[in-house]
Amino acid sequence: MMRRTRATAAASAAAVLLLLTGAPAGAALTPPDPYFPLSGNQRYDVRHYDLDLDFTPASHLLDARATVTASADRSLATFRLDYSGPAVQQVLVDGRPAAYRSDGQKLTVTPARPIRPGALFTVVVRYRGTPERISDPALGDYGWINTPDGAVALNEPDGARTWYPLNDDLRDKATYTFRITTPTGVTALANGEPAGPPQTHDGRTTVTWQMRKPMAGYLSMVAIGDFQVARTTDDGLPNITAYDPNGSDDTLLHPATAQAVAWERKRFGAYPFDSTGGIIDEVGVGYALESQSRPVYDRGPDELTVVHEIAHQWFGDSVTPSTWRDIWLNEGFATYTEWLWQEDHGGPSVQQVFDTYYETPAGDPFWNLETGDPGRDEMFNFDAVYVRGAMTLHALRTTIGDRDFFDLLRTWAHTYRYGTADTGDLLRLAEKLSHHRLGPLFDDWLYTAAKPPLPPH
Ligand code: ARG
Ligand code: ZN
């Protein structure tokens, strides 16, 4: 019998829940996110967000209309969206005014009449004011960040609610349209691709961007301000990058993005989105973010940072963890990609990098947290999540061998493309492909706050 791991125990708990409730996966009664229990609303499923954003950099005033199209899992007399942005002025459900109440980080909507189970419905929310960032003592600054010449939205983990109402549940991905209006001359970018040429009326210009592949809220992005934009098409994929010319000049981002995509496509399989790119805006948050199809860098990045954010397009953006507890599935994979890329470009070998970290003595705080459950405040802990996440993958690779390991990376990216998956799914897939029992290895490397033994090889 297979040893019961934390991962398999969680999977069978979900199976028991399914038996007890008869509810299909993704419907009501799945537990809330363990790190962000206030985020997410489970009685409906969003299909599309249409975000009409009118923004004036000089005043930082946002005048917005968000249209959320969703299907109801059950009859809804009232429902909630995640929202803590500027004051709401009006809410319409299927075109009729609805009652609403804003409190904390939720917008509660009561439609004139209940929404029928299975019905597709639209919610229009109008709001106006200056959105503000979240400054979290543990996670730093994120959400809508106003800049001297505009704004940029960096939402990970739960910052999207600072600028639009959404179902901020990793499992409820949706497509997006961004219609951004600014004074003419200001540049506005978002995820995905431009849809049609800009429209100018009365000194204001509207640009439309579309993300046609499902996207989790934390990966949505807009960047507004003075930007120098570059566009090319490389191997059939549009590459759109931008940097703020008032900051330092950047010549690396555009070609490095194309190179990272080309190199990673060969290793991980088809690139999941319809365009790539990147945006540099010197916002001083101290991190880059893998916003879907177009990461944001808070300074001119080095090559490895670009390789990391582009790796997230497969690992994090296309295949997204089901809950934030599994953040190592994002950061461990992206960090391991840096190690692979380095080795292939004249740097130290992956084994050397692993060995150097592995020399860290058993009593060192480096080993203090569980990589597979670091805790909400330590979700971006570099040692526990990024480095030990990558080390976990290397331990797995030395156990199952190169052929099965690289097959696993590609099969993982393909099997869970545009969806969500958890560590239990990775364990099951790795065991299936390699015919190894891997529960003990996962337990040692992910669910033990201590230096794990080296895997035999
Ligand atoms: N996911 C980002 C990366 O690629 C880090 C985001 C950090 N976010 C934050 N709120 N501190 O490493
Ligand atoms: Zn990362």
Side-chain angles (χ1 to χ4, degrees), residues 134 136 138-143 154-158 218-219 285-290 305 308-309 312 324 327 330-331 334-335 338 379-380 386:
I134 294 169
D136 184 274
L139 306 178
D141 284 13
Y142 60 97
L154 300 163
N155 303 323
E156 192 184 23
D158 65 331
Y218 83 94
L219 297 166
V285 292
Y287 58 83
L289 180 67
E290 63 268 25
T305 305
H308 178 108
E309 304 308 334
H312 276 309
W324 287 110
I327 181 76
N330 290 8
E331 303 306 344
T335 303
E338 292 180 57
M379 62 183 285
F380 298 117
Y386 289 64

PDB file of all heavy atoms in Angstrom, residues 134 136 138-143 154-158 218-219 285-290 305 308-309 312 324 327 330-331 334-335 338 379-380 386, ligand 1:
ATOM      1  N   ILE A 134      -2.105  47.900  -1.627  1.00  0.00           N
ATOM      2  CA  ILE A 134      -2.075  47.225  -0.331  1.00  0.00           C
ATOM      3  C   ILE A 134      -0.619  47.255   0.131  1.00  0.00           C
ATOM      4  O   ILE A 134       0.285  46.945  -0.652  1.00  0.00           O
ATOM      5  CB  ILE A 134      -2.557  45.763  -0.482  1.00  0.00           C
ATOM      6  CG1 ILE A 134      -4.037  45.737  -0.870  1.00  0.00           C
ATOM      7  CG2 ILE A 134      -2.297  44.974   0.809  1.00  0.00           C
ATOM      8  CD1 ILE A 134      -4.546  44.376  -1.305  1.00  0.00           C
ATOM      9  N   ASP A 136       1.336  45.363   2.798  1.00  0.00           N
ATOM     10  CA  ASP A 136       1.231  44.277   3.768  1.00  0.00           C
ATOM     11  C   ASP A 136       2.571  44.120   4.477  1.00  0.00           C
ATOM     12  O   ASP A 136       3.609  44.080   3.824  1.00  0.00           O
ATOM     13  CB  ASP A 136       0.844  42.990   3.032  1.00  0.00           C
ATOM     14  CG  ASP A 136       0.630  41.826   3.980  1.00  0.00           C
ATOM     15  OD1 ASP A 136       1.614  41.138   4.321  1.00  0.00           O
ATOM     16  OD2 ASP A 136      -0.532  41.627   4.388  1.00  0.00           O
ATOM     17  N   ALA A 138       4.039  41.642   5.687  1.00  0.00           N
ATOM     18  CA  ALA A 138       4.818  40.460   5.286  1.00  0.00           C
ATOM     19  C   ALA A 138       5.042  40.390   3.778  1.00  0.00           C
ATOM     20  O   ALA A 138       6.097  39.954   3.318  1.00  0.00           O
ATOM     21  CB  ALA A 138       4.106  39.195   5.748  1.00  0.00           C
ATOM     22  N   LEU A 139       4.064  40.829   2.991  1.00  0.00           N
ATOM     23  CA  LEU A 139       4.123  40.593   1.537  1.00  0.00           C
ATOM     24  C   LEU A 139       4.543  41.819   0.739  1.00  0.00           C
ATOM     25  O   LEU A 139       4.741  41.738  -0.469  1.00  0.00           O
ATOM     26  CB  LEU A 139       2.763  40.087   1.036  1.00  0.00           C
ATOM     27  CG  LEU A 139       2.208  38.859   1.768  1.00  0.00           C
ATOM     28  CD1 LEU A 139       0.836  38.483   1.218  1.00  0.00           C
ATOM     29  CD2 LEU A 139       3.175  37.666   1.639  1.00  0.00           C
ATOM     30  N   GLY A 140       4.665  42.949   1.417  1.00  0.00           N
ATOM     31  CA  GLY A 140       5.100  44.157   0.727  1.00  0.00           C
ATOM     32  C   GLY A 140       3.954  44.864   0.025  1.00  0.00           C
ATOM     33  O   GLY A 140       2.789  44.689   0.370  1.00  0.00           O
ATOM     34  N   ASP A 141       4.307  45.675  -0.989  1.00  0.00           N
ATOM     35  CA  ASP A 141       3.331  46.509  -1.681  1.00  0.00           C
ATOM     36  C   ASP A 141       2.839  45.832  -2.949  1.00  0.00           C
ATOM     37  O   ASP A 141       3.644  45.351  -3.753  1.00  0.00           O
ATOM     38  CB  ASP A 141       3.972  47.851  -2.050  1.00  0.00           C
ATOM     39  CG  ASP A 141       4.109  48.768  -0.846  1.00  0.00           C
ATOM     40  OD1 ASP A 141       3.935  48.272   0.294  1.00  0.00           O
ATOM     41  OD2 ASP A 141       4.375  49.960  -1.043  1.00  0.00           O
ATOM     42  N   TYR A 142       1.530  45.822  -3.122  1.00  0.00           N
ATOM     43  CA  TYR A 142       0.956  45.236  -4.342  1.00  0.00           C
ATOM     44  C   TYR A 142      -0.452  45.790  -4.551  1.00  0.00           C
ATOM     45  O   TYR A 142      -0.962  46.545  -3.733  1.00  0.00           O
ATOM     46  CB  TYR A 142       0.970  43.704  -4.280  1.00  0.00           C
ATOM     47  CG  TYR A 142       0.195  43.074  -3.139  1.00  0.00           C
ATOM     48  CD1 TYR A 142      -1.104  42.610  -3.335  1.00  0.00           C
ATOM     49  CD2 TYR A 142       0.755  42.945  -1.867  1.00  0.00           C
ATOM     50  CE1 TYR A 142      -1.822  42.021  -2.298  1.00  0.00           C
ATOM     51  CE2 TYR A 142       0.041  42.362  -0.824  1.00  0.00           C
ATOM     52  CZ  TYR A 142      -1.249  41.905  -1.048  1.00  0.00           C
ATOM     53  OH  TYR A 142      -1.956  41.325  -0.027  1.00  0.00           O
ATOM     54  N   GLY A 143      -1.070  45.399  -5.675  1.00  0.00           N
ATOM     55  CA  GLY A 143      -2.363  45.978  -6.047  1.00  0.00           C
ATOM     56  C   GLY A 143      -2.114  47.136  -7.004  1.00  0.00           C
ATOM     57  O   GLY A 143      -1.109  47.171  -7.717  1.00  0.00           O
ATOM     58  N   LEU A 154      -0.132  45.348 -10.005  1.00  0.00           N
ATOM     59  CA  LEU A 154       0.656  44.148  -9.687  1.00  0.00           C
ATOM     60  C   LEU A 154      -0.131  43.400  -8.613  1.00  0.00           C
ATOM     61  O   LEU A 154      -0.108  43.798  -7.453  1.00  0.00           O
ATOM     62  CB  LEU A 154       2.010  44.562  -9.103  1.00  0.00           C
ATOM     63  CG  LEU A 154       2.929  45.414  -9.968  1.00  0.00           C
ATOM     64  CD1 LEU A 154       4.007  46.061  -9.117  1.00  0.00           C
ATOM     65  CD2 LEU A 154       3.566  44.541 -11.035  1.00  0.00           C
ATOM     66  N   ASN A 155      -0.847  42.365  -8.981  1.00  0.00           N
ATOM     67  CA  ASN A 155      -1.879  41.864  -8.065  1.00  0.00           C
ATOM     68  C   ASN A 155      -1.527  40.715  -7.137  1.00  0.00           C
ATOM     69  O   ASN A 155      -2.347  40.341  -6.310  1.00  0.00           O
ATOM     70  CB  ASN A 155      -3.094  41.435  -8.869  1.00  0.00           C
ATOM     71  CG  ASN A 155      -3.636  42.556  -9.711  1.00  0.00           C
ATOM     72  OD1 ASN A 155      -3.622  43.705  -9.280  1.00  0.00           O
ATOM     73  ND2 ASN A 155      -4.087  42.240 -10.906  1.00  0.00           N
ATOM     74  N   GLU A 156      -0.365  40.085  -7.328  1.00  0.00           N
ATOM     75  CA  GLU A 156      -0.119  38.875  -6.542  1.00  0.00           C
ATOM     76  C   GLU A 156       0.137  39.190  -5.065  1.00  0.00           C
ATOM     77  O   GLU A 156       0.977  40.051  -4.792  1.00  0.00           O
ATOM     78  CB  GLU A 156       1.089  38.100  -7.096  1.00  0.00           C
ATOM     79  CG  GLU A 156       1.196  36.705  -6.502  1.00  0.00           C
ATOM     80  CD  GLU A 156       2.463  35.949  -6.966  1.00  0.00           C
ATOM     81  OE1 GLU A 156       3.444  36.587  -7.372  1.00  0.00           O
ATOM     82  OE2 GLU A 156       2.441  34.718  -6.894  1.00  0.00           O
ATOM     83  N   PRO A 157      -0.525  38.530  -4.109  1.00  0.00           N
ATOM     84  CA  PRO A 157      -1.499  37.472  -4.348  1.00  0.00           C
ATOM     85  C   PRO A 157      -2.974  37.928  -4.453  1.00  0.00           C
ATOM     86  O   PRO A 157      -3.707  37.375  -5.243  1.00  0.00           O
ATOM     87  CB  PRO A 157      -1.324  36.577  -3.112  1.00  0.00           C
ATOM     88  CG  PRO A 157      -0.834  37.499  -2.043  1.00  0.00           C
ATOM     89  CD  PRO A 157      -0.052  38.590  -2.723  1.00  0.00           C
ATOM     90  N   ASP A 158      -3.409  38.900  -3.655  1.00  0.00           N
ATOM     91  CA  ASP A 158      -4.847  39.211  -3.644  1.00  0.00           C
ATOM     92  C   ASP A 158      -5.099  40.700  -3.870  1.00  0.00           C
ATOM     93  O   ASP A 158      -6.022  41.271  -3.280  1.00  0.00           O
ATOM     94  CB  ASP A 158      -5.490  38.742  -2.315  1.00  0.00           C
ATOM     95  CG  ASP A 158      -4.955  39.510  -1.111  1.00  0.00           C
ATOM     96  OD1 ASP A 158      -3.781  39.961  -1.160  1.00  0.00           O
ATOM     97  OD2 ASP A 158      -5.697  39.694  -0.137  1.00  0.00           O
ATOM     98  N   TYR A 218      -4.951  37.265 -10.167  1.00  0.00           N
ATOM     99  CA  TYR A 218      -3.671  37.814  -9.696  1.00  0.00           C
ATOM    100  C   TYR A 218      -2.695  38.061 -10.838  1.00  0.00           C
ATOM    101  O   TYR A 218      -1.697  38.760 -10.667  1.00  0.00           O
ATOM    102  CB  TYR A 218      -3.043  36.912  -8.623  1.00  0.00           C
ATOM    103  CG  TYR A 218      -2.242  35.714  -9.093  1.00  0.00           C
ATOM    104  CD1 TYR A 218      -0.852  35.808  -9.255  1.00  0.00           C
ATOM    105  CD2 TYR A 218      -2.838  34.492  -9.354  1.00  0.00           C
ATOM    106  CE1 TYR A 218      -0.097  34.706  -9.658  1.00  0.00           C
ATOM    107  CE2 TYR A 218      -2.106  33.389  -9.748  1.00  0.00           C
ATOM    108  CZ  TYR A 218      -0.728  33.505  -9.901  1.00  0.00           C
ATOM    109  OH  TYR A 218       0.008  32.428 -10.301  1.00  0.00           O
ATOM    110  N   LEU A 219      -3.010  37.514 -12.027  1.00  0.00           N
ATOM    111  CA  LEU A 219      -2.120  37.676 -13.183  1.00  0.00           C
ATOM    112  C   LEU A 219      -2.581  38.761 -14.138  1.00  0.00           C
ATOM    113  O   LEU A 219      -1.917  39.029 -15.140  1.00  0.00           O
ATOM    114  CB  LEU A 219      -1.996  36.340 -13.921  1.00  0.00           C
ATOM    115  CG  LEU A 219      -1.350  35.247 -13.057  1.00  0.00           C
ATOM    116  CD1 LEU A 219      -1.561  33.874 -13.685  1.00  0.00           C
ATOM    117  CD2 LEU A 219       0.138  35.534 -12.871  1.00  0.00           C
ATOM    118  N   VAL A 285       8.834  48.365  -5.951  1.00  0.00           N
ATOM    119  CA  VAL A 285       8.234  47.380  -5.038  1.00  0.00           C
ATOM    120  C   VAL A 285       9.234  46.293  -4.639  1.00  0.00           C
ATOM    121  O   VAL A 285       9.032  45.584  -3.657  1.00  0.00           O
ATOM    122  CB  VAL A 285       6.966  46.719  -5.639  1.00  0.00           C
ATOM    123  CG1 VAL A 285       5.831  47.734  -5.748  1.00  0.00           C
ATOM    124  CG2 VAL A 285       7.250  46.069  -6.987  1.00  0.00           C
ATOM    125  N   GLY A 286      10.319  46.162  -5.418  1.00  0.00           N
ATOM    126  CA  GLY A 286      11.344  45.188  -5.054  1.00  0.00           C
ATOM    127  C   GLY A 286      11.136  43.805  -5.619  1.00  0.00           C
ATOM    128  O   GLY A 286      11.750  42.844  -5.166  1.00  0.00           O
ATOM    129  N   TYR A 287      10.263  43.657  -6.606  1.00  0.00           N
ATOM    130  CA  TYR A 287      10.104  42.353  -7.250  1.00  0.00           C
ATOM    131  C   TYR A 287       9.586  42.538  -8.672  1.00  0.00           C
ATOM    132  O   TYR A 287       9.081  43.615  -9.023  1.00  0.00           O
ATOM    133  CB  TYR A 287       9.146  41.438  -6.468  1.00  0.00           C
ATOM    134  CG  TYR A 287       7.760  42.010  -6.263  1.00  0.00           C
ATOM    135  CD1 TYR A 287       6.778  41.899  -7.257  1.00  0.00           C
ATOM    136  CD2 TYR A 287       7.430  42.671  -5.085  1.00  0.00           C
ATOM    137  CE1 TYR A 287       5.509  42.436  -7.070  1.00  0.00           C
ATOM    138  CE2 TYR A 287       6.165  43.211  -4.893  1.00  0.00           C
ATOM    139  CZ  TYR A 287       5.210  43.087  -5.893  1.00  0.00           C
ATOM    140  OH  TYR A 287       3.963  43.631  -5.710  1.00  0.00           O
ATOM    141  N   ALA A 288       9.738  41.490  -9.464  1.00  0.00           N
ATOM    142  CA  ALA A 288       9.099  41.434 -10.777  1.00  0.00           C
ATOM    143  C   ALA A 288       7.901  40.512 -10.631  1.00  0.00           C
ATOM    144  O   ALA A 288       7.825  39.717  -9.694  1.00  0.00           O
ATOM    145  CB  ALA A 288      10.074  40.886 -11.810  1.00  0.00           C
ATOM    146  N   LEU A 289       6.957  40.615 -11.542  1.00  0.00           N
ATOM    147  CA  LEU A 289       5.746  39.790 -11.445  1.00  0.00           C
ATOM    148  C   LEU A 289       5.378  39.216 -12.806  1.00  0.00           C
ATOM    149  O   LEU A 289       5.373  39.930 -13.815  1.00  0.00           O
ATOM    150  CB  LEU A 289       4.590  40.617 -10.880  1.00  0.00           C
ATOM    151  CG  LEU A 289       3.275  39.852 -10.736  1.00  0.00           C
ATOM    152  CD1 LEU A 289       3.390  38.768  -9.675  1.00  0.00           C
ATOM    153  CD2 LEU A 289       2.149  40.805 -10.395  1.00  0.00           C
ATOM    154  N   GLU A 290       5.009  37.934 -12.789  1.00  0.00           N
ATOM    155  CA  GLU A 290       4.769  37.185 -14.026  1.00  0.00           C
ATOM    156  C   GLU A 290       3.376  37.392 -14.609  1.00  0.00           C
ATOM    157  O   GLU A 290       2.732  36.440 -15.026  1.00  0.00           O
ATOM    158  CB  GLU A 290       4.997  35.700 -13.753  1.00  0.00           C
ATOM    159  CG  GLU A 290       4.036  35.049 -12.729  1.00  0.00           C
ATOM    160  CD  GLU A 290       4.505  35.059 -11.286  1.00  0.00           C
ATOM    161  OE1 GLU A 290       5.321  35.942 -10.939  1.00  0.00           O
ATOM    162  OE2 GLU A 290       4.068  34.205 -10.509  1.00  0.00           O
ATOM    163  N   THR A 305      16.328  36.994 -14.529  1.00  0.00           N
ATOM    164  CA  THR A 305      14.997  37.411 -14.067  1.00  0.00           C
ATOM    165  C   THR A 305      13.972  37.240 -15.190  1.00  0.00           C
ATOM    166  O   THR A 305      12.852  36.787 -14.958  1.00  0.00           O
ATOM    167  CB  THR A 305      15.035  38.873 -13.564  1.00  0.00           C
ATOM    168  OG1 THR A 305      16.048  38.967 -12.563  1.00  0.00           O
ATOM    169  CG2 THR A 305      13.709  39.306 -12.990  1.00  0.00           C
ATOM    170  N   HIS A 308      13.168  33.635 -15.510  1.00  0.00           N
ATOM    171  CA  HIS A 308      12.283  33.250 -14.399  1.00  0.00           C
ATOM    172  C   HIS A 308      10.828  33.639 -14.699  1.00  0.00           C
ATOM    173  O   HIS A 308       9.919  32.806 -14.613  1.00  0.00           O
ATOM    174  CB  HIS A 308      12.789  33.934 -13.115  1.00  0.00           C
ATOM    175  CG  HIS A 308      11.967  33.674 -11.897  1.00  0.00           C
ATOM    176  ND1 HIS A 308      12.392  32.872 -10.873  1.00  0.00           N
ATOM    177  CD2 HIS A 308      10.734  34.110 -11.523  1.00  0.00           C
ATOM    178  CE1 HIS A 308      11.465  32.812  -9.928  1.00  0.00           C
ATOM    179  NE2 HIS A 308      10.451  33.568 -10.296  1.00  0.00           N
ATOM    180  N   GLU A 309      10.603  34.894 -15.064  1.00  0.00           N
ATOM    181  CA  GLU A 309       9.215  35.351 -15.277  1.00  0.00           C
ATOM    182  C   GLU A 309       8.590  34.674 -16.491  1.00  0.00           C
ATOM    183  O   GLU A 309       7.388  34.381 -16.493  1.00  0.00           O
ATOM    184  CB  GLU A 309       9.153  36.881 -15.402  1.00  0.00           C
ATOM    185  CG  GLU A 309       9.754  37.668 -14.224  1.00  0.00           C
ATOM    186  CD  GLU A 309       9.229  37.260 -12.851  1.00  0.00           C
ATOM    187  OE1 GLU A 309       8.103  36.745 -12.749  1.00  0.00           O
ATOM    188  OE2 GLU A 309       9.981  37.446 -11.874  1.00  0.00           O
ATOM    189  N   HIS A 312       7.362  31.227 -15.638  1.00  0.00           N
ATOM    190  CA  HIS A 312       6.056  31.257 -14.965  1.00  0.00           C
ATOM    191  C   HIS A 312       4.894  31.179 -15.954  1.00  0.00           C
ATOM    192  O   HIS A 312       3.783  30.821 -15.561  1.00  0.00           O
ATOM    193  CB  HIS A 312       5.898  32.558 -14.174  1.00  0.00           C
ATOM    194  CG  HIS A 312       6.499  32.545 -12.804  1.00  0.00           C
ATOM    195  ND1 HIS A 312       6.245  31.552 -11.883  1.00  0.00           N
ATOM    196  CD2 HIS A 312       7.325  33.433 -12.182  1.00  0.00           C
ATOM    197  CE1 HIS A 312       6.896  31.841 -10.746  1.00  0.00           C
ATOM    198  NE2 HIS A 312       7.560  32.967 -10.907  1.00  0.00           N
ATOM    199  N   TRP A 324      -2.937  28.853  -2.588  1.00  0.00           N
ATOM    200  CA  TRP A 324      -1.654  29.544  -2.397  1.00  0.00           C
ATOM    201  C   TRP A 324      -0.663  28.713  -1.586  1.00  0.00           C
ATOM    202  O   TRP A 324       0.531  28.992  -1.604  1.00  0.00           O
ATOM    203  CB  TRP A 324      -1.879  30.909  -1.747  1.00  0.00           C
ATOM    204  CG  TRP A 324      -2.482  31.893  -2.703  1.00  0.00           C
ATOM    205  CD1 TRP A 324      -3.747  32.406  -2.675  1.00  0.00           C
ATOM    206  CD2 TRP A 324      -1.848  32.469  -3.851  1.00  0.00           C
ATOM    207  NE1 TRP A 324      -3.936  33.267  -3.734  1.00  0.00           N
ATOM    208  CE2 TRP A 324      -2.783  33.323  -4.468  1.00  0.00           C
ATOM    209  CE3 TRP A 324      -0.570  32.348  -4.425  1.00  0.00           C
ATOM    210  CZ2 TRP A 324      -2.493  34.062  -5.622  1.00  0.00           C
ATOM    211  CZ3 TRP A 324      -0.282  33.079  -5.580  1.00  0.00           C
ATOM    212  CH2 TRP A 324      -1.231  33.920  -6.158  1.00  0.00           C
ATOM    213  N   ILE A 327       2.339  27.405  -3.610  1.00  0.00           N
ATOM    214  CA  ILE A 327       3.099  28.431  -4.331  1.00  0.00           C
ATOM    215  C   ILE A 327       4.469  27.911  -4.801  1.00  0.00           C
ATOM    216  O   ILE A 327       5.033  28.413  -5.772  1.00  0.00           O
ATOM    217  CB  ILE A 327       3.228  29.710  -3.446  1.00  0.00           C
ATOM    218  CG1 ILE A 327       3.983  30.853  -4.139  1.00  0.00           C
ATOM    219  CG2 ILE A 327       3.896  29.415  -2.124  1.00  0.00           C
ATOM    220  CD1 ILE A 327       3.189  31.576  -5.186  1.00  0.00           C
ATOM    221  N   ASN A 330       4.828  27.312  -8.409  1.00  0.00           N
ATOM    222  CA  ASN A 330       5.222  28.454  -9.238  1.00  0.00           C
ATOM    223  C   ASN A 330       6.716  28.734  -9.096  1.00  0.00           C
ATOM    224  O   ASN A 330       7.470  28.730 -10.053  1.00  0.00           O
ATOM    225  CB  ASN A 330       4.493  29.731  -8.794  1.00  0.00           C
ATOM    226  CG  ASN A 330       3.021  29.724  -9.117  1.00  0.00           C
ATOM    227  OD1 ASN A 330       2.475  28.724  -9.554  1.00  0.00           O
ATOM    228  ND2 ASN A 330       2.376  30.844  -8.890  1.00  0.00           N
ATOM    229  N   GLU A 331       7.101  29.030  -7.857  1.00  0.00           N
ATOM    230  CA  GLU A 331       8.441  29.592  -7.651  1.00  0.00           C
ATOM    231  C   GLU A 331       9.554  28.548  -7.742  1.00  0.00           C
ATOM    232  O   GLU A 331      10.660  28.855  -8.201  1.00  0.00           O
ATOM    233  CB  GLU A 331       8.491  30.354  -6.321  1.00  0.00           C
ATOM    234  CG  GLU A 331       7.448  31.486  -6.208  1.00  0.00           C
ATOM    235  CD  GLU A 331       7.492  32.497  -7.349  1.00  0.00           C
ATOM    236  OE1 GLU A 331       8.499  32.529  -8.084  1.00  0.00           O
ATOM    237  OE2 GLU A 331       6.504  33.242  -7.516  1.00  0.00           O
ATOM    238  N   ALA A 334      10.038  27.979 -11.554  1.00  0.00           N
ATOM    239  CA  ALA A 334      10.662  29.132 -12.226  1.00  0.00           C
ATOM    240  C   ALA A 334      12.129  29.248 -11.821  1.00  0.00           C
ATOM    241  O   ALA A 334      12.999  29.565 -12.641  1.00  0.00           O
ATOM    242  CB  ALA A 334       9.896  30.419 -11.912  1.00  0.00           C
ATOM    243  N   THR A 335      12.430  28.960 -10.564  1.00  0.00           N
ATOM    244  CA  THR A 335      13.819  29.015 -10.105  1.00  0.00           C
ATOM    245  C   THR A 335      14.633  27.875 -10.726  1.00  0.00           C
ATOM    246  O   THR A 335      15.783  28.076 -11.154  1.00  0.00           O
ATOM    247  CB  THR A 335      13.872  28.958  -8.560  1.00  0.00           C
ATOM    248  OG1 THR A 335      13.079  30.032  -8.044  1.00  0.00           O
ATOM    249  CG2 THR A 335      15.300  29.068  -8.041  1.00  0.00           C
ATOM    250  N   GLU A 338      15.753  28.805 -14.072  1.00  0.00           N
ATOM    251  CA  GLU A 338      16.968  29.643 -14.051  1.00  0.00           C
ATOM    252  C   GLU A 338      18.211  28.767 -13.978  1.00  0.00           C
ATOM    253  O   GLU A 338      19.201  29.031 -14.663  1.00  0.00           O
ATOM    254  CB  GLU A 338      16.981  30.568 -12.830  1.00  0.00           C
ATOM    255  CG  GLU A 338      15.946  31.654 -12.812  1.00  0.00           C
ATOM    256  CD  GLU A 338      16.090  32.479 -11.525  1.00  0.00           C
ATOM    257  OE1 GLU A 338      17.165  33.023 -11.270  1.00  0.00           O
ATOM    258  OE2 GLU A 338      15.108  32.551 -10.753  1.00  0.00           O
ATOM    259  N   MET A 379       5.035  33.048   2.149  1.00  0.00           N
ATOM    260  CA  MET A 379       4.773  32.417   0.841  1.00  0.00           C
ATOM    261  C   MET A 379       5.821  32.788  -0.215  1.00  0.00           C
ATOM    262  O   MET A 379       6.031  32.041  -1.160  1.00  0.00           O
ATOM    263  CB  MET A 379       3.360  32.728   0.344  1.00  0.00           C
ATOM    264  CG  MET A 379       3.074  34.194   0.102  1.00  0.00           C
ATOM    265  SD  MET A 379       1.353  34.473  -0.404  1.00  0.00           S
ATOM    266  CE  MET A 379       1.387  33.908  -2.106  1.00  0.00           C
ATOM    267  N   PHE A 380       6.478  33.936  -0.059  1.00  0.00           N
ATOM    268  CA  PHE A 380       7.535  34.309  -1.014  1.00  0.00           C
ATOM    269  C   PHE A 380       8.929  34.159  -0.397  1.00  0.00           C
ATOM    270  O   PHE A 380       9.883  34.790  -0.857  1.00  0.00           O
ATOM    271  CB  PHE A 380       7.325  35.738  -1.516  1.00  0.00           C
ATOM    272  CG  PHE A 380       6.028  35.941  -2.264  1.00  0.00           C
ATOM    273  CD1 PHE A 380       5.050  36.800  -1.783  1.00  0.00           C
ATOM    274  CD2 PHE A 380       5.780  35.245  -3.449  1.00  0.00           C
ATOM    275  CE1 PHE A 380       3.853  36.987  -2.475  1.00  0.00           C
ATOM    276  CE2 PHE A 380       4.581  35.422  -4.142  1.00  0.00           C
ATOM    277  CZ  PHE A 380       3.615  36.296  -3.654  1.00  0.00           C
ATOM    278  N   TYR A 386      11.495  29.340  -3.094  1.00  0.00           N
ATOM    279  CA  TYR A 386      12.189  29.447  -4.381  1.00  0.00           C
ATOM    280  C   TYR A 386      13.309  28.401  -4.463  1.00  0.00           C
ATOM    281  O   TYR A 386      13.322  27.545  -5.353  1.00  0.00           O
ATOM    282  CB  TYR A 386      12.769  30.840  -4.584  1.00  0.00           C
ATOM    283  CG  TYR A 386      11.731  31.928  -4.843  1.00  0.00           C
ATOM    284  CD1 TYR A 386      10.796  32.274  -3.873  1.00  0.00           C
ATOM    285  CD2 TYR A 386      11.711  32.623  -6.046  1.00  0.00           C
ATOM    286  CE1 TYR A 386       9.856  33.284  -4.099  1.00  0.00           C
ATOM    287  CE2 TYR A 386      10.782  33.640  -6.287  1.00  0.00           C
ATOM    288  CZ  TYR A 386       9.868  33.953  -5.306  1.00  0.00           C
ATOM    289  OH  TYR A 386       8.947  34.941  -5.536  1.00  0.00           O
TER     290      TYR A 386
HETATM  291  N1  ARG B   1       5.892  35.958  -8.215  1.00  0.00           N
HETATM  292  C1  ARG B   1       6.913  36.979  -8.150  1.00  0.00           C
HETATM  293  C2  ARG B   1       8.196  36.298  -8.667  1.00  0.00           C
HETATM  294  O1  ARG B   1       8.270  35.915  -9.759  1.00  0.00           O
HETATM  295  C3  ARG B   1       7.077  37.560  -6.794  1.00  0.00           C
HETATM  296  C4  ARG B   1       5.890  38.338  -6.311  1.00  0.00           C
HETATM  297  C5  ARG B   1       6.069  38.917  -4.962  1.00  0.00           C
HETATM  298  N2  ARG B   1       4.866  39.574  -4.553  1.00  0.00           N
HETATM  299  C6  ARG B   1       4.726  40.237  -3.412  1.00  0.00           C
HETATM  300  N3  ARG B   1       3.562  40.758  -3.106  1.00  0.00           N
HETATM  301  N4  ARG B   1       5.707  40.336  -2.588  1.00  0.00           N
HETATM  302  O2  ARG B   1       9.126  36.019  -7.987  1.00  0.00           O
END
